[in-house]
Every structure is written in C-alpha cells, then in structure tokens.
Amino acid sequence: FKAAIAAGVDSVMTAHIVFPAFDPSGDPATLSHPILTGLLRERLGFEGVVITDSLAMEGVRKKYGDARVAVLAIKAGVDQLLNPPDLPAAWNAVLAAVRGGEISEARLDASLRRILELKLRRGLFKDPYAGRRAVDRAVGTRSHLTEADRIADRTVTLLVNKDKLLPLSRRRRNSLLVVGVDPAAPSGTGGPTTAVLAAALNELGFTATALPTGTGAKPDPGQDRIDAAVAAARDKDAVIVATYNVTAASSQRALVSALAATGRPVVQVAIRNPYDIARLSGVAAALATYGWTDVEVRAAARVIAGKTRPYGRLPVSVPRADDPDRVLYPIGHGLRY
C-alpha cells in the first residue's frame, strides 16, 4: 500500500476483514475509523478516493444491518459505498445521520471533493461521453486482450506437482474430464468455468469433456453428482477439478477423494482462494488461479498443457487445515517446470 500510494494510485478499496492489531473493536476494516482514517489517511498519507468492497457481502452486513453499515462506513472514512443491498435504506440512513449531526456536511463535502478531483484528473468533465465506435476502438481490443492473457499467464501458481504430472502429455493423457464448480462470471459475461476450461484444453490438442458439479451459490455436490463424476472419470486419462472455497464440511472434499480413488490422476484448480488445497487429499497436482474469469481459466489451461510455464507465487501463506498455526505453503511458494 505504501508503494501504491507513492506511485499515485487513485483509489483504495476496503476489505471486510477484522484486523485486531489495528482496531481491537471487532469491526471489519470497512467500518473502522482507526484503519481507514488513522492508518490509511493519516499515517500512510493517502488522499485519494476510498471505496468499500461490496456491501452485499455477509462479512460487513451481519453485525449492524444494511442501513447502519452505510453510516459507519462514511464515519470510518469511506468516500464511495459499493453495492448497498438496500439502496433506499442506506441513503435514508445517511440522510438521517447528517440531519441528526452524526455526520457533518463538511465530512460529505470532503468525500465529494475527492471524487470530483478524481474525475477532473481523468478528464471526465472535459469529454464525458463516448460514442459506440469510440468504445469499440478502446475496449476489448486485440492489444488489450493480449495483455490480459500475458498478465494471467504470470499469475497462475503451481502448488503441487507429484511425479511431474504437469504439464500433461497430449500423447499419454489426451482424454480429460473437467469437473467442479461453475460460479457466475463476475462481469456477467463469459463462463461457465468448466466449459471454458474444457474448450481451452480442446483447443490445445486434448479431448476434454465438461461435467459441472456445483455453482458459486451451491458449490458442494450431492452424492448423485459425485457418483456421476466418478463414473465419467473411469475411462479418462486424467481429471481436472475446479474447487471453490473448500471448507471442513464441504462435499467438494468427498468429490476430490472419490475421483482420486479411481486411480486417475487429479489436477485441482482453486478458482477463488488458494487455501482449498489444505483440505484436499489425493490430488496429483494443484494450481491456484485467484479468479474464474475466462482469461484466468484459459491461462490455467495453458499451464496444464505446458503452453506456458507456471510463473505465479503465493501472495499469502496457506496454513495447514489441522493446525492453522503451521504453514503448509509459505508466501512466495510456486513450483516451476
């Protein structure tokens, strides 16, 4: 954050995480005056726009409720409220807080000034509109798509690679089954994950079939989906399984174990958080993509196929599931080939 601020970053997003070392109140950072004002503004000297992560997330909603969260976020130092689940409730709560003196008009003016200054720096007042042709010339261009692929290729992290299974040999392991979770595309376009991954592997010379076993809302498969995946895996050369927020009680664990029991090598791809591997057994290889947009999924396929090498390194440590005080994979871990 110091480096980003020194480089002139325009905006900082808050996280709905509790950080007792900075604020012992138990409030998430999004609602913490000691963190957003005391640390970010005063100690680190950030003068740009502070925006919350989505206020529809449970991590910020469960303690105070949707109306009060909006007020507390502004009091903490937030300039923009992202995705309040009940916009009228949030708006009216802030209005009541201003009328009651809990939030001063000067406090709102400070946020408005930062937002307007950002728009001014980015030229939004001078030329605020763009025609369709201008958008097509600037958004989704070949150079932008190539750069997105390049960035994604540098982030895929190889955590496990037993017996040097990866990269997969198209000659020895051509027939693949792709199973796992299909969360909704973050942008509302693209996906589903298993289909995109299978299609990318097919384009790279494999014969891959997709069999989704869950969604972002319901990532844990029932026994019928596990049985179907196991049956489909029996005549394949390897199985790719996309996992999503695996917990101690998650039936994704049973899915992976059942697939491994078939004797087919299992390649696990964590498409959200890299911590899934700590709760899984029997995988021959494991990757972390940190996201499930099409560009990240296709990058994982290129790494699996050996089209690109795994360059990523863990930005966090992965603790052991049975002993969180012990580290399974440290920050910076990332295998190569």
Side-chain angles (χ1 to χ4, degrees), residues 202-220:
N202 285 328
E203 290 177 4
L204 292 167
F206 293 90
T207 302
T209 303
L211 178 64
T213 56
T215 66
K218 295 182 178 180
D220 295 324

